[in-house]
Amino acid sequence: MTEALATKPQVSTARLSSWALLLNNRLAAAGLVILGIICLLAILAPLLPIPNPNATNPPNRLQPVFSDGHWLGTDHLGRDILARLIWGTRVSIAVGLSATAIAALVGSLIGLVAGYARGRVDNLLMRGIDMLMAFPYILLALAIVAVLGPSLINALYAIAVVNIPFFARNVRGVTVGLANREFVDAARLSGKSHTAILFTEVLPNVAPVIVITMSTTVGWMILETAGLSFLGLGAQPPQADLGSMLGEGRRLLFNAPHVSIIPGLMIFALVMSINLLGDGVRDVLDPRLRAGDLTRPRSVTNIKRDTIPPKTMQSSDILVVDQLETSFQRGRATIPAVNKVSFSLKKGECMGLIGESGSGKSVTALSLLGLVASPPGVITHGGVYIDGEEVLSKTEHGLRALRGAKVAYVFQDPLTTLHPLFRVGDQIAEAILAHQPLSRDAAHSRAIELMEQVGIRDAKERVSAYPHEMSGGQRQRIGIAMALANDPDIIIADEPTTALDVTVQAKILDLLQDLRRERGLALLLITHDFGVVAQVCDKVAVMKDGEIVESGETKTLLKNPQHSYTKKLIACVPELGQGKAFLETVRPLFAEAKP
Amino acid sequence: MTGYIIKRLLSAIPVIIGLSIIVFAIMALIPGDPALAILGSYATPENVARINRDLGLDRPLYEQYFVWITNLLQGDFGRSFILNRPVIDEIMDRFGATLILAGTSLVLCSIFGILAGVVSAVRQFGWTDRIVTFFVLIGISTPSFWLGLLFILIFAVQWRVLPASGMYSVYGGGDLPDLLRHLVLPSITLAIVATGVIARLTRAAMLEVLRQDFVRTARAKGLAERKVIYKHAFKAAFVSIIPVIGIQAGFVMGGAVYIETVFQWPGIGAMLVNAISTRDILLVQGGVLVVAVSYVLLNLLADVAQALLDPRLKS
Amino acid sequence: MSANAIVVKDLVKTFGGKRTLFGGTSHAVHAVRGVSFDLKQNETLAIVGESGSGKSTIARMLVGLETPTSGTMEIGGEDAAALRAKGSRIFGRMVQYVFQDPVASLNPRKTINDILDIPLKLLREYPREKRQARKRELLDAVQMPADTLERYPHEFSGGQAQRIAIARALAAEAKIMVLDEPVSALDVSVQAQVLLLLDDLKREFDLSYLFISHDLAVVESVSDRVAVMYLGEMVELDTAAKLFHSPSHDYTRELIASAPRLESAAS
């Protein structure tokens, strides 16, 4: 625990890196620059050497682009288009920002209160929001303008109102999640009032969502106010925003297209730059995007080994793992997760791979058939031999022929590892069909047989159930049936009982044990629980920080651990029957940790 | 399943009642004498008296609402004094045109949006992804009314390959090919923004799903990558895209207001814009209500479709 | 003060089951069905059960995060309903709570200083200087260095975060602690350390613990008495020694038989 304390908090650099990240994104930086220039022009409009945008000069009307004194020509009243463009942009930006501010303020407030209060208040507020959402987007704005009468300020209100639901919904969604979090309960128990919790505990966590929503909606709002003005329902002459310029120019489309094309181009440039920047902001603020979690994992882990181990190896073992090394790439850094791990497994043997969180045990298990998500995973060294053949040198196709056939996996949480939209029987049948030339019907009846073998009652009926219609224990039985589908030689079970209650865990472990004996399966069991290892494994390897620190026969290792880490770990497992003596036996282990 | 559909249908009733109240409130909120506002320059004393009697304006608001809604249910939307014909007739004439335009656009944006999104997710960070992402960004940043004008300039004025406006040719035409030729530009213009939004959300949904544990399970079974992506991942992503398409239907119906104006398409959107300019409030009221109710029904359809695909939603 | 820290009588909690708009009733979940027990001064009473047994619901009712459907609770000799009527702050001074997921129980956007400050300010109403001094004492008590204060929760491991959460609970100076699966999110070595810490604190501050857990071995190592919950009912309540050696209820026996053991190796 001291290593975590060694790193100093780096708040200022974290903030800086947000900016740096934003500017690193080339598109976002380009958006920022364009938006900056447009805003600067708009702000400086009164100081720029441009003609009065409203000064008419009919004899000089409809001058083309690049004409003398009028870079962008003149409109049907002889007014300078450049001047009108800059002043119009000013109006459009101001309206867009005000509408965003109003929508964000009102919408976020509704979302916060609804999400935090839940119950009736939530129902009432959100039904109201649903009403607003039940109108097609711009139609409600039209209706509001119809009531208030056409004018720019009314268009602003209308656009703000129709955008309130986006803020309310997004903010409510996040708030509901946060309101159920323990830290909100904890603040309540620390004596904070509901209002204080809402604004000092919840709001800071919601703020990024509000900013993201603002950055994605401000572009629309500018677009839509321009649209209302274009229809003649927003800015009224002589006041002009980009939309009304476009609307006026539309009548001259065939004679003088530049009068309408130029303001349209400006709206496009403005909205595009905002959207580019908005995407950048979203990428920086969304922690998942930041961590690179939304990259698509490939079907096989990246393998970048300097030396490829020999294809065959003289060994009677069914599985041999030799000096395996798997790392994660985070930015430019490569963080090792599995470090030169070697072990082997005989036919019919059960080995436990045990370790605490972050010890690399699951990554080891997934590396064997290249199932580590990649990016960020990379296998950098070593080999995996199954029946004497090096697996990681195989092609994607060759690896796939092994997966689910000779080697099958059982994963931890069967609710997330089974596909929620397919019937369990189909999922088992699919595993069979992937490797065996059977008819659909044959695969289906085989699926029922398998379900019976793993102890599911009424298998004929349950075969058409969906995963969510089953209990946790039953789902894990389906996971096991799926693993057995092609009569594998090796099953790799990654924390197969961790998500289950003890009584269910005991039954699932019994099942695995029976199946193993019946079929002569080799079982690699990944777990953090010494009790589970003791119950089912012939031998065990203890992992710490990506390395195997000790391995051996389960009985010997548990009775007489050699490595200090294993000793400590085993001593820390409380056992039934030890009673309060347990605390006294572990106390000396941590005596030196005390100040 | 039937139970779910009935339940869902019933739940739409309060929404539609709410809509009708909001639309009714539009009338009630108009400052000044509603009869004068409705009639505008047609406000002769007889007309004012007739309107007041027609609408029962001498009675309390809730009674007025009931009178109004009862008339609506009997198909009586009132009379447009500008057009001098019943509102319902005008709406019926134009509703079909909007349905054709918006429907075509919705089909276009769903197909191309989902296709672009899936391809872009599968080829994440590749050139296809970059190109799609860039075009999506352009799509959602372009004012559709301006794009419509550009299309007219290019395809109708410069190249003269497609008609600039209307739904049928004035001389001859009137058949299906003629309609299709007129439909090309407005439906594409209308679909572009929605295509961008759907592509974006499809890409995000696919990437999200491809990270899920069940995709790893599918790979661990030894399934071909094609099956993993197009069967396992796509089905799960598609379920979350259906409501997005429902919402986009609203954007398409709303966006029709611009496109019908630009292309002089004889639909409800163009009618509404004219009605607002001429303060023809009864026509606005009727038009808004009809479009909003059809949108609600469409979303209902989306919900049912989603429940058909996702068994978890039924229970 | 009476000899009992907590007295619970016929406690019932039903979720849902309310009348709906169309006259039907929504699906009711009977989380807790008539549970009675008491927690003595300076005692550790454990409640064990599997998921859905209602053990966490009892804990949440005791600290006022849920309202019972019926039944009475007395905390420190006072009626809980009366306490709640006086405001949540008085409640917080009587009983505190430690959560299962320590990282989730700390607001990610606040420093530890801010987090520890809240109960000292709102529940104890200490002036500024006293609060600073208390915070250092509290961190000392849970064996965390003083520079913990300026940091954010994400900078700590699960075990460290749980120590901080315990410090926050101690800050209220309540004599009763409800510990809801306080070690189940932690690795075994860290789990042992936190159990030791809890044991030390109990003696040092004269505390009474209600210890909720699903892990029988952990429960046996810390508790004086143990209650077993099954589907919302308390099926057995006895001293730890008696319950583990001669369980009287079938479900208790099954639980004990299911627990994995180290000596079962090579069976």
Side-chain angles (χ1 to χ4, degrees), chain A residues 205 357 501 503 577 580 587, chain C residues 50-51 107 187 200 220 224:
Chain A
N205 286 288
S357 48
D501 279 327
T503 48
K580 290 199 172 180
R587 195 178 292 277
Chain C
E50 301 190 298
S51 49
N107 190 336
D187 280 324
D200 292 344
E220 198 197 10
D224 303 310

Side-chain angles (χ1 to χ4, degrees), chain A residues 44-209:
Chain A
L44 296 179
L47 304 174
L48 294 176
I50 46 174
N52 179 346
N54 294 324
T56 57
N57 185 6
N60 205 16
R61 70 204 171 92
L62 298 182
Q63 292 288 319
V65 180
F66 299 126
S67 55
D68 214 16
H70 303 288
W71 282 1
L72 295 179
T74 57
D75 68 1
H76 59 293
L77 294 175
R79 297 175 291 196
D80 183 65
I81 292 183
L82 178 65
R84 288 180 67 72
L85 191 71
I86 292 174
W87 282 92
T89 306
R90 200 175 147 96
V91 174
S92 282
I93 293 177
V95 170
L97 289 183
S98 322
T100 310
I102 295 174
L105 197 72
V106 179
S108 306
L109 205 63
I110 292 175
L112 273 172
V113 172
Y116 185 73
R118 305 303 300 271
R120 252 179 231 151
V121 180
D122 184 20
N123 237 316
L124 198 74
L125 287 173
M126 290 327 281
R127 286 299 86 76
I129 293 295
D130 284 350
M131 281 312 156
L132 290 185
M133 294 282 277
F135 285 95
Y137 186 56
I138 204 66
L139 204 69
L140 183 61
L142 281 185
I144 294 169
V145 173
V147 175
L148 302 174
S151 86
L152 189 60
I153 192 82
N154 290 346
L156 188 159
Y157 290 144
I159 294 300
V161 168
V162 299
N163 276 289
I164 286 175
F166 294 102
F167 285 92
R169 286 205 155 184
N170 285 355
V171 169
R172 178 186 173 273
V174 184
T175 308
V176 167
L178 288 169
N180 288 331
R181 287 277 293 277
E182 284 91 340
F183 73 79
V184 167
D185 285 340
R188 186 100 191 97
L189 297 171
S190 296
K192 271 199 178 180
S193 68
H194 284 302
T195 329
I197 289 175
L198 189 57
F199 289 104
T200 61
E201 301 278 336
V202 177
L203 184 60
N205 286 288
V206 175
V209 176

Side-chain angles (χ1 to χ4, degrees), chain C residues 1 18 55 58 64 84 125 141 159 188 199 218 266:
Chain C
M1 247 197 184
K18 288 188 191 114
K55 56 190 192 303
I58 294 181
R84 191 172 314 112
E125 291 165 357
V188 270
D199 192 52
V218 165

Side-chain angles (χ1 to χ4, degrees), chain A residues 1-11 15 178 180-193 200-206 208 285 355-358 361 500-507 509 513 517 528-537 554-555 558 565 568-584 586-588 590 593-595, chain C residues 44 49-52 60 63-65 88-89 91-93 95-97 99-101 103-110 115 118-120 122-123 140 143-145 147-148 150-152 155-157 160 163 168 172 187-193 195-196 199-200 202-203 214-218 220-224 244-245 251 254-267:
Chain A
M1 65 185 270
T2 37
E3 23 196 341
L5 295 176
T7 50
K8 279 269 162 203
Q10 299 179 317
V11 178
R15 291 258 162 73
L178 288 169
N180 288 331
R181 287 277 293 277
E182 284 91 340
F183 73 79
V184 167
D185 285 340
R188 186 100 191 97
L189 297 171
S190 296
K192 271 199 178 180
S193 68
T200 61
E201 301 278 336
V202 177
L203 184 60
N205 286 288
V206 175
L285 289 182
E356 298 191 289
S357 48
K361 55 190 192 301
L500 308 172
D501 279 327
V502 267
T503 48
V504 184
Q505 160 170 304
K507 286 171 192 148
L509 289 178
Q513 205 59 331
R517 294 210 177 109
H528 67 279
D529 191 333
F530 271 105
V532 169
V533 166
Q535 204 169 324
V536 293
C537 297
T554 308
K555 211 171 162 185
L558 287 181
Y565 177 74
K568 192 168 162 183
L569 213 54
I570 293 175
C572 283
V573 182
E575 276 230 80
L576 271 182
Q578 257 184 310
K580 290 199 172 180
F582 167 71
L583 285 184
E584 296 322 309
V586 289
R587 195 178 292 277
F590 300 105
K594 268 192 218 166
Chain C
T44 299
E50 301 190 298
S51 49
R60 293 178 60 84
V63 291
L65 291 172
S88 63
R89 294 194 184 169
F91 220 80
R93 280 174 213 154
V95 54
Q96 278 292 324
Y97 190 87
F99 295 85
Q100 170 170 4
D101 184 349
V103 181
S105 79
L106 303 173
N107 190 336
R109 299 209 169 240
K110 296 207 177 281
I115 292 171
I118 306 166
L120 292 171
L122 297 178
L123 296 177
D140 233 33
Q143 298 154 20
M144 289 290 286
D147 67 347
T148 302
E150 308 113 55
R151 304 188 173 197
Y152 284 89
E155 295 173 52
F156 297 99
S157 66
Q160 293 170 326
R163 285 167 192 270
R168 170 178 54 193
D187 280 324
V188 270
S189 58
V190 184
Q191 166 178 310
Q193 290 180 61
L195 289 176
L196 276 176
D199 192 52
D200 292 344
K202 187 182 164 192
R203 263 175 262 167
H214 70 278
D215 189 327
L216 293 176
V218 165
E220 198 197 10
S221 69
V222 296
S223 54
D224 303 310
F244 285 105
H245 286 112
Y251 178 70
E254 192 190 345
L255 264 187
I256 293 173
S258 301
R261 286 156 221 256
L262 294 191
E263 70 259 29
S264 65
S267 62

Side-chain angles (χ1 to χ4, degrees), chain A residues 231-291:
Chain A
L231 295 174
L233 305 174
Q236 301 295 315
Q239 187 186 36
D241 69 350
L242 294 172
S244 64
M245 286 174 69
L246 187 52
E248 284 171 20
R250 182 187 148 218
R251 292 181 203 111
L252 309 158
L253 184 63
F254 301 121
N255 311 330
H258 69 280
V259 182
S260 49
I261 288 178
I262 290 168
L265 212 55
M266 187 54 142
I267 301 177
F268 171 69
L270 186 59
V271 176
M272 181 88 176
S273 62
I274 289 173
N275 285 343
L276 282 172
L277 185 63
D279 281 4
V281 168
R282 191 197 55 200
D283 289 358
V284 168
L285 289 182
D286 192 330
R288 285 183 317 172
L289 293 169
R290 207 170 172 168

Side-chain angles (χ1 to χ4, degrees), chain A residues 404 418 422-451 463-465 478-486, chain B residues 221-223 227 231-232:
Chain A
L418 293 176
F422 293 123
R423 297 175 195 279
V424 291
D426 294 343
Q427 298 194 46
I428 300 173
E430 198 183 25
I432 300 169
L433 291 170
H435 299 283
Q436 295 176 43
L438 282 179
S439 71
R440 283 193 166 275
D441 285 343
H444 194 256
S445 17
R446 178 91 183 95
I448 297 176
E449 274 171 45
L450 284 164
M451 283 172 68
V463 73
S464 50
I478 296 292
I480 293 170
M482 213 153 75
L484 294 174
N486 297 301
Chain B
K221 282 200 271 195
L223 293 188
K227 260 199 171 160
K231 187 175 168 193
H232 284 240

